[in-house]
Amino acid sequence: MDIKSPEERSRNMARIKSRKTKPEMYIRSLLFRHHMRYRVNFSEIIGKPDLYFTKYRTAVFVNGCFWHRHKGCKYAYVPKSNVSFWKRKFEKNQSRDREVTEKLMEQGIRCLIIWECTVKKMTSNDSVREMKLKQIIKFITSGKQNYLEI
């Protein structure tokens, strides 16, 4: 049983953004300060990645743990009401994510997935921020790996 009326729930869900989210803006800000230049929601690339580094042929997705179902994460819970709707929704999101990643890799574009929970840890702890930022920049610039989730 939902604690909100259907109208209140609809209004609440409609306010959830898919672009320029706080985790995405945080990562963009950190990378820009480290002289990394990128395209935002580059529409010429399948899946319109949050960030695309043309020089390195690397797509970066800053994914919310709830919407993209981060395995083992406490934020990837299933709401208690309307469970069948949510399960279908999550399965569609996951299959779309897999499909986009496969197509990008086939085109020789490397993929980096940064989870929302990682960004939360980065915002609250300076040493974690520096370690993860180094890992992100190394992945983007090195070209040794084709896929990484942080």
Side-chain angles (χ1 to χ4, degrees):
M1 181 80 179
D2 198 352
I3 58 171
K4 294 185 179 235
S5 71
E7 294 82 23
E8 286 175 314
R9 177 63 60 201
S10 177
R11 236 180 297 127
N12 191 18
M13 296 306 288
R15 285 185 288 176
I16 296 173
K17 300 189 303 180
S18 62
R19 292 173 154 189
K20 292 186 177 182
T21 60
K22 281 183 184 177
E24 181 186 333
M25 297 306 288
Y26 181 75
I27 294 296
R28 282 171 55 177
S29 168
L30 283 178
L31 291 174
F32 195 85
R33 277 187 262 156
H34 281 79
H35 310 288
M36 302 289 290
R37 299 298 180 255
Y38 45 80
R39 305 285 301 260
V40 177
N41 300 114
F42 191 39
S43 60
E44 293 179 24
I45 303 294
I46 189 166
K48 288 191 210 172
D50 296 320
L51 306 175
Y52 182 68
F53 295 85
T54 51
K55 181 179 177 181
Y56 303 106
R57 293 187 55 83
T58 302
V60 176
F61 295 91
V62 182
N63 285 349
C65 298
F66 177 78
W67 297 105
H68 298 271
R69 313 310 294 163
H70 187 198
K71 285 184 183 164
C73 180
K74 69 179 182 180
Y75 300 111
Y77 62 91
V78 178
K80 292 176 183 166
S81 63
N82 215 0
V83 174
S84 62
F85 165 81
W86 285 111
K87 285 188 175 178
R88 275 194 318 272
K89 171 77 177 153
F90 294 144
E91 285 171 11
K92 276 175 49 181
N93 286 354
Q94 286 179 306
S95 89
R96 186 186 59 234
D97 288 346
R98 275 192 301 272
E99 190 177 308
V100 165
T101 302
E102 286 171 11
K103 286 185 179 175
L104 288 174
M105 305 267 278
E106 286 171 7
Q107 294 174 6
I109 296 172
R110 301 162 55 239
C111 290
L112 172 63
I113 309 294
I114 303 172
W115 291 103
E116 177 187 10
C117 60
T118 301
V119 175
K120 283 183 181 182
K121 288 176 194 164
M122 291 171 74
T123 58
S124 63
N125 187 325
D126 290 344
S127 63
V128 171
R129 183 186 64 226
E130 291 307 314
M131 183 182 71
K132 295 295 181 185
L133 185 59
K134 275 184 188 174
Q135 194 177 5
I136 291 167
I137 291 173
K138 185 178 177 186
F139 175 83
I140 292 169
T141 57
S142 73
K144 291 181 179 173
Q145 290 177 285
N146 288 329
Y147 181 82
L148 179 65
E149 287 186 29
I150 334 181

